[in-house]
Amino acid sequence: MTNRIRTALLGTALAGLAATSTMAEEWRLNNFLPETRPETAQIEQFADEVNTALADRDFKLTVYSGGSLGLKNTDLLRVLPRGAVEMSLMWSNYLGRDAPALSSVFVQGAISTVDELKAVLPVAQEIYEEEYTDWGVTTVGFVAIPTLSVSVFCRDEPIQTLEDLKGVKLRVWAREQVETFTKLGVAAQIIPQEETYVALKTGVVDCALYPALYASTISLQEVTNYASFLYPMASAPYTLGVATDTWESTDPEIQTAITTAADALWEHTNQYDKDAEAEMAAREKLGEMGVTWGEDFPEEDRAQFMEAVSETWQMLAEEAGGNAMDYRARVLEALGR
């Protein structure tokens, strides 16, 4: 081999190393929410703020929405610590298979007012940080969910009482809802939001539990004709998680940019004064698109539903064991119950 060839090969190798060393570092943020959800726009704003703060660091945070990375919500405690993705949105109610104690923090329907939500959020955030740490996930931020009004959307006929609901197949999104409706004699099954449209269209279910505020984001107005309000719901916040090993090896400047933007994201989303107005606007919009809005479920039905929710909460905590009873007790104390 001539010196000229050796020199050329060495130059090529050095150029390759230089290109690798200057290549931008990309973090992927797994966002299971559809692109049409308002939270997705807020998460994208969060990523933009991180990227702006680190513009001179060749670092980029990219949001992948709607499950486009192929990660299942129920698997996140398994795959995130292993590096399947650098950052992910997480919701405790989807993670009960692997961390059953998380289901005893916020049970769907157990917390129904803004005052109750504000009282319990600091405690819930502490619990989530503790629990995720045990799974090798560091909490870097939270995303608040609006207080919601959950309604029953039906395809073929209006359903406005629990008695009528006993005669249909109902879609829900969490196990505690299955347990609650089972106590009420209603056949409920978990169907992911991305499968709900097809399930209604093909008759797998007759009705779906869903907030009016988000119904149009999965085109429920195309496969249902009737809706009635059942119960108010304050939800557990979403968590932004990073594998602890990844986080601890991350440059402090990048950590600061992420947590600063995450604090701003929480500030933007932790607002509830316009939730009722947004709910009524959503109902009006759905009405214009063909959904007939019926009478609310009767007060006595809603009281019966809330009693079943309370029983489910107690049952799930006892069943989960471990920290579950402690988590429930801490939440109840914050609620003054």
Side-chain angles (χ1 to χ4, degrees):
M1 183 181 296
T2 66
N3 288 335
R4 180 176 297 178
I5 294 175
R6 290 193 184 94
T7 302
L9 291 174
L10 179 59
T12 301
L14 291 173
L17 288 172
T20 301
S21 65
T22 59
M23 187 179 298
E25 179 182 4
E26 180 184 4
W27 275 28
R28 297 160 298 165
L29 197 172
N30 172 57
N31 170 34
F32 54 77
L33 297 172
E35 292 183 356
T36 49
R37 285 280 286 266
E39 295 101 323
T40 295
Q42 293 159 338
I43 290 168
E44 289 175 345
Q45 180 182 343
F46 156 74
D48 288 343
E49 291 176 6
V50 171
N51 292 332
T52 298
L54 298 171
D56 60 348
R57 287 296 307 267
D58 291 321
F59 177 93
K60 184 177 182 181
L61 178 62
T62 303
V63 180
Y64 292 84
S65 299
S68 57
L69 291 177
L71 302 177
K72 295 182 178 179
N73 295 331
T74 53
D75 292 339
L76 287 175
L77 287 177
R78 302 183 182 187
V79 300
L80 182 58
R82 297 177 183 174
V85 69
E86 288 74 29
M87 183 184 297
S88 184
L89 193 71
M90 307 172 76
W91 197 44
S92 60
N93 295 76
Y94 289 152
L95 303 173
R97 180 196 64 197
D98 292 331
L102 286 174
S103 299
S104 63
V105 181
F106 267 77
V107 172
Q108 306 293 309
I111 299 170
S112 57
T113 70
V114 173
D115 287 343
E116 288 180 334
L117 177 62
K118 289 181 176 180
V120 79
L121 274 174
V123 174
Q125 288 170 308
E126 289 177 0
I127 291 172
Y128 293 144
E129 289 179 6
E130 294 168 12
E131 187 77 14
Y132 291 136
T133 295
D134 289 342
W135 282 89
V137 174
T138 295
T139 299
V140 298
F142 292 97
V143 185
I145 301 176
T147 53
L148 300 172
S149 296
V150 180
S151 297
V152 177
F153 287 80
C154 295
R155 186 185 57 199
D156 299 325
E157 58 181 343
I159 300 293
Q160 300 171 5
T161 68
L162 287 177
E163 187 62 33
D164 289 342
L165 200 56
K166 294 177 182 179
V168 303
K169 296 171 291 185
L170 177 67
R171 174 268 177 184
V172 298
W173 65 80
R175 184 199 163 192
E176 61 259 37
Q177 293 171 322
V178 174
E179 298 292 347
T180 295
F181 281 106
T182 297
K183 294 179 188 300
L184 297 169
V186 177
Q189 58 181 300
I190 298 172
I191 295 178
Q193 62 180 358
E194 64 269 19
E195 299 174 16
T196 299
Y197 181 98
V198 173
L200 283 162
K201 190 175 182 64
T202 59
V204 173
V205 291
D206 306 299
C207 303
L209 208 65
Y210 215 81
L213 186 64
Y214 299 142
S216 62
T217 68
I218 60 168
S219 302
L220 275 189
Q221 75 279 0
E222 297 179 5
V223 287
T224 60
N225 296 300
Y226 308 96
S228 291
F229 166 71
L230 177 54
Y231 67 94
M233 183 185 77
S235 291
Y238 300 118
T239 298
L240 286 171
V242 177
T244 299
D245 289 345
T246 299
W247 186 249
E248 290 180 349
S249 64
T250 297
D251 184 285
E253 185 179 353
I254 296 175
Q255 290 181 339
T256 298
I258 289 172
T259 55
T260 299
D263 288 344
L265 175 61
W266 177 249
E267 184 67 24
H268 294 155
T269 57
N270 190 29
Q271 307 289 334
Y272 310 100
D273 56 327
K274 296 183 179 179
D275 289 355
E277 180 182 337
E279 165 69 15
M280 299 314 296
R283 293 188 191 184
E284 182 177 354
K285 179 181 177 182
L286 289 166
E288 292 171 354
M289 292 189 287
V291 176
T292 299
W293 211 268
E295 295 292 326
D296 296 349
F297 276 65
E299 287 290 343
E300 55 268 29
D301 280 10
R302 287 156 62 187
Q304 188 178 351
F305 175 83
M306 293 302 296
E307 182 178 350
V309 167
S310 181
E311 294 173 3
T312 296
W313 194 2
Q314 174 76 21
M315 180 202 74
L316 290 176
E318 292 176 348
E319 178 187 285
N323 294 323
M325 291 299 290
D326 173 62
Y327 292 165
R328 181 173 181 269
R330 288 162 66 180
V331 172
L332 287 172
E333 182 180 1
L335 291 170
R337 296 182 188 174

